[in-house]
Each structure stands twice: as C-alpha cells, then as structure tokens.
Amino acid sequence: MAKAERSLAELYGDDPERADALAFGRRTDASRRGFLGGAGLAAMGAAVGGAIPFSATMPSGLIPAAMAQGAPAPAGAPAAPAAAAPKGPQLLDFPGKAKGLVVLGDRPLVAETPEHMLDDDTTPTEKFYIRNNGQTPEGFKEGDAWEFSIDGEVNNPLKLTLGELKKKYANKTYRMVLECGGNGRSAFQPQARGNQWTNGGAGCAEWTGAPLAEVLKSAGLKPSAVHTGNYGADQHLSGDPSKDVLSRGVPIKAALERHALLVWAMNGEPLSNIHGGPLRLVIPGFPASVSHKWLKRIAIRDKVHDGQGMGGTSYSVAIKPMVPGGKTDESNMRTLTSMPVRGIITNPANGTRLPAGTRKLALRGAAWDGHDGVSRVDVSLDFGATWKQAKAAKPRNAYDWRRWTAELELPSDGYFEIWVRATDSKGRAQPHVAGGWNPQGYGANPMHRVAVLVG
Ligand SMILES: Nc1nc2c(c(=O)[nH]1)N[C@H]1C(S)=C(S)[C@@H](COP(=O)(O)O)O[C@H]1N2
Ligand SMILES: [Mo]
C-alpha cells in the first residue's frame, strides 16, 4: 500500500489518467463511475497531504488542485523523486518587475502573474503581465516628441506628436482589464499551440489617454471606414524590417467606443517601455493583441484588416465545435472579439497550509469578462456540490473587474479545494473544463481552483 500511495503523487505529475483510475477504481461498468473509498481514499489523502472531508463529492477525472500543473508540492505529501517532480517555474528577473512573475517565454519575452499576485484592487505595474511578440523597440525615449499617424479612409490624415495628443484631446482615466487572448490556454486538452498561460495573462490597471473616437472624428472618417489596422515600432524577431510583428485591428464601432484610448500613462505613471511606452492603444473587452504597444500608425481600412495576426486560426475560435486536436477547417473559424467570463481566487494562494483548528476561511478574488459584465460570483468548498454567492464590488467603470470576497466555514481539518465560478450578465458561467478546443487555444475559461490544507 505504501508503494501505491507514493506512486499516486508521482502519477498525477506523470500520467493523470492512470492516477485517477487507481484512486477512483477502474471503470468496468460505463454507467457507474468510481468513487473515493477504501484504498483509493487513503491513497488520495496521502497524495494531497491530508484527509478529505468532502471526499464523497470529489469527482473522478479531475486532477486535484494540489497535484495540478504548477501547484506547489502539497505540505505533508510524500516527496516525489527528483525525476518525477515537475520542473519549477522560471521566475522573471526584469527591471521594474516584481519577483514572482512566471516566464512563459524569453524570446519574445512573455511573463504571467500567478493568481495570488493579482490580489490588489488595481494591479500595480510591477505585477502586470508582459506579452511581446517581437523585439522590444529601442529609442522609445522620445517621450512627447513621439509621432504617430492616422491615415487610410479618412478625410484629413493626421500626423501627431504625443505632446499634441495630450493637449488637443480630452484626457480620460479608466480602470480596465487587459487580457491576452490566450489566457487560460494551459487548460486545453490536448495542449494547444502557444504560450501556456494559466490565468495570469491579465491585469487591471488605470489607463490614462485620449479617446480614440475623438481623434478619429478629427481625422474625419469616410463612410467607407470599416476597420482599424494597427502598427507599432517593435521589430520582428528575425530582424527583417519588412515583416510586421503584429498588426491587428478592430471594427470601427469598437474604435469609437468611449473607453478605447490612446494611452500614455499606466497607474498614474508615464507608460513604461515594456508596456508599450510612450504610446499604446487600449481597446478593452477584446483580446489584448488589439491594444497595440509602441503605436506608430492606425490605418483606417475599408474592409476587415488583414495584417499580421488576422485571419486563419490567429485569435480565432471554432464556430461549430471541432474535434480536439483534429484537422482545422478555416471556414469554421471566427475571430475572437470578446473575452469570456473568468473568476480567480487571489487569496489564499494554491497550496496554502493553515494551522490545525482553523474554521473560517476568508477568500478574496477578482472576476471579469469582455463586454457583458459579471453578474455573479460563486464559491464552493465541496467540489461543486453546493455553492455560496460571493460579495462582488461594483466596477468603477465599464471594463473594470469586480473584486469579490467570501467567507467559508471549514467543518474540520483536512484537504480542501476552493472553487470559484463567475457568471456574466448573459447567464454564461465558467465551465468545469476548458471547452471549445481550437488549434491556437483561445477562450479557455474553466473555473479556478485552489488547494488549502488545514492542520
Ligand atoms: N506592438 C505590439 N503591441 C502588442 C503586442 C506586441 O507584441 N507588439 N502584444 C499584444 C499582446 S498579444 C498582448 S496580450 C498585449 C500585452 O500587453 P502588456 O505586455 O502591456 O501586458 O499587448 C499587445 N500589443
Ligand atoms: Mo496576447
């Protein structure tokens, strides 16, 4: 038995399906799932580091949060041998950035914010995720002399400096979520192509800038204007100046929405180089790839923009469900234009150990979505058998996230999982597992879970 217990912890890092079958019993009769009992319960308890008070409702097929990818080794669990232990995350070491951001790629630089570091009401710049597709441009230090242009389907093409932009147009500040289109991607099975974000490709900062609508109005949109095409100063990784790193855009209607800003300040400070300073777009609700950094030019198009990162499978989800991992039919893809609802637990952190006898658990978190607004947030302590509604603060403005709190009673010591599920104003709630598989892995928003060990 001791051998089986040890192998369960190893197996979850290695072959979760076999681990699950071992703990829950093999499925001999398709109509009856196994449940945790006897040897399986003992082995699971040993693997997660404590007794499981809600074992009766623990579903098979779900990897325990304590064992899931990226989770810290559960306190009290038998140590896995070095060969079986998952590799620890690579932590970011970057000027102006907090310790603890996790590097997903270093060329181009991509780093995410673990959920427990998104515990501030407003995400501090030092904790804000980074997503580059190319090389960070040099020579951005022009500051207010930075020039950008608006051309294409307009009556008066504009060439403006940042200094002129600040003076000639309204200055607005909104707290808004910026979220990478691939956020949540690591939840897809089989693995989808791209950076394996957990939930940390998102943050909510105060953005200051001029309304894009006002600038477009002064350029005079022609009736033929249907889409923006955004261009920046960053260079392709190959160094080839004829290649665009990224050139996405949005329908004119979204560009005219009053929260779409030409941004020069983040959290009250001049926009830093890594976040696109001195000038970037922030067009909320969409995948953040339309929020162009180091903005140089907006071309107003008479058709849907066809720049780098538009069309094909880029930032696209399947219209009709496709076979996970199967062949792609590009005519069955549509561009993702609104991020799905997502809730996260920001306190406690996954893997937190609390003293024996702790009976109250104060939870904090955040919830947001693309355009429809979060209507409610619920938490569960018993693997989703029962739910309790969290108290969610009002957003300051559209596209702000909702901070939420909840308090749960713990019936005893042991291993618990806290689950959070956010629901948007259209009644769409987060699923248990990532659905809608697509080749580049957009739109995964399964519920966030954290493991807590009491005693
Ligand atoms: N010029 C430029 N703008 C860009 C990108 C880029 O690579 N180049 N990445 C986009 C993507 S995919 C995301 S998720 C956000 C990330 O913004 P951040 O690094 O400030 O968090 O910027 C977007 N804007
Ligand atoms: Mo992104």
Side-chain angles (χ1 to χ4, degrees):
M1 194 58 228
K3 189 153 186 279
E5 285 170 14
R6 196 159 36 248
S7 67
L8 193 63
E10 293 167 23
L11 266 179
Y12 267 110
D14 195 34
D15 186 349
E17 271 178 47
R18 252 191 78 211
D20 184 70
L22 255 176
F24 287 89
R26 288 198 189 277
R27 189 153 42 148
T28 47
D29 170 357
S31 68
R32 290 188 57 188
R33 294 295 284 138
F35 58 91
L36 273 179
L41 182 56
M44 181 65 85
V48 298
I52 307 169
F54 291 110
S55 63
T57 50
M58 187 172 189
S60 60
L62 256 190
I63 300 173
M67 305 274 108
Q69 215 190 11
K87 270 183 259 140
Q90 186 195 334
L91 298 183
L92 181 69
D93 181 8
F94 192 87
K97 285 292 171 182
K99 295 269 173 289
L101 297 194
V102 174
V103 177
L104 301 182
D106 49 19
R107 196 175 179 275
L109 183 60
V110 182
E112 76 167 330
T113 317
E115 292 93 347
H116 70 270
M117 284 180 71
L118 289 170
D119 197 35
D120 305 86
D121 286 355
T122 304
T123 310
T125 305
E126 61 160 15
K127 296 181 185 170
F128 209 92
Y129 81 98
I130 297 169
R131 169 55 164 133
N132 280 358
N133 287 269
Q135 304 178 26
T136 313
E138 305 275 330
F140 76 102
K141 294 191 179 104
E142 296 162 35
D144 281 359
W146 178 269
E147 281 188 336
F148 71 100
S149 58
I150 308 233
D151 58 34
E153 305 299 307
V154 293
N155 295 314
N156 324 298
L158 297 179
K159 206 172 194 93
L160 285 172
T161 64
L162 174 53
E164 290 166 339
L165 179 73
K166 289 176 178 172
K167 255 193 248 130
K168 287 190 182 161
Y169 301 91
N171 289 197
K172 296 283 181 190
T173 298
Y174 302 118
R175 192 170 75 180
M176 300 189 283
V177 170
L178 194 70
E179 181 174 25
C180 182
N183 202 24
R185 181 178 289 133
S186 64
F188 276 119
Q189 294 273 0
Q191 185 172 311
R193 229 167 36 241
N195 295 299
Q196 296 300 303
W197 302 100
T198 61
N199 285 304
C204 189
E206 289 177 5
W207 306 101
T208 301
L212 178 57
E214 282 194 20
V215 180
L216 293 181
K217 238 174 261 163
S218 67
L221 289 173
K222 291 182 178 173
S224 52
V226 300
H227 215 272
T228 75
N230 314 332
Y231 295 89
D234 46 339
Q235 269 203 3
H236 198 267
L237 284 180
S238 64
D240 179 347
S242 70
K243 284 187 181 162
D244 288 322
V245 171
L246 186 74
S247 180
R248 304 205 66 231
V250 293
I252 284 297
K253 192 168 169 252
L256 294 177
E257 210 278 342
R258 68 189 181 92
H259 296 89
L261 298 179
L262 289 151
V263 163
W264 57 79
M266 179 180 186
N267 293 330
E269 302 280 339
L271 190 60
S272 62
N273 184 24
I274 196 67
H275 291 299
L279 181 68
R280 80 175 298 166
L281 278 172
V282 170
I283 302 180
F286 283 73
S289 48
V290 304
S291 291
H292 220 88
K293 305 199 277 190
W294 313 291
L295 184 72
K296 273 298 189 191
R297 174 184 175 216
I298 299 178
I300 302 300
R301 306 293 313 266
D302 62 2
K303 57 176 184 181
V304 173
H305 186 51
D306 50 3
Q308 182 60 41
M310 298 294 289
T313 58
S314 294
Y315 300 98
S316 293
V317 292
I319 298 166
K320 278 187 300 179
M322 61 179 288
V323 177
K327 256 224 165 87
T328 310
D329 166 10
E330 285 194 7
S331 69
N332 184 42
M333 304 298 292
R334 68 168 175 89
T335 301
L336 178 64
T337 53
S338 197
M339 295 303 291
V341 67
R342 188 183 311 277
I344 57 170
I345 298 155
T346 62
N347 185 75
N350 192 21
T352 294
R353 183 162 200 169
L354 297 168
T358 305
R359 291 296 174 264
K360 274 199 195 322
L361 197 54
L363 310 176
R364 287 191 300 275
W368 65 91
D369 79 326
H371 292 89
D372 298 307
V374 170
S375 63
R376 62 183 292 156
V377 177
D378 297 273
V379 292
S380 177
L381 188 61
D382 54 12
F383 303 102
T386 62
W387 293 87
K388 179 179 180 179
Q389 188 167 357
K391 256 174 74 179
K394 269 203 188 144
R396 279 194 197 166
N397 48 255
Y399 308 105
D400 188 15
W401 62 15
R402 296 186 71 178
R403 302 299 310 183
W404 61 264
T405 55
E407 195 169 83
L408 294 176
E409 306 273 341
L410 301 169
S412 62
D413 290 354
Y415 172 84
F416 297 94
E417 288 194 10
I418 303 147
W419 293 11
V420 64
R421 181 182 66 186
T423 306
D424 73 16
S425 65
K426 298 224 163 115
R428 288 172 298 209
Q430 290 178 266
H432 287 268
V433 291
W437 193 95
N438 56 86
Q440 288 189 245
Y442 301 104
N445 66 334
M447 296 177 225
H448 181 215
R449 305 180 286 144
V450 302
V452 170
L453 194 61
V454 181

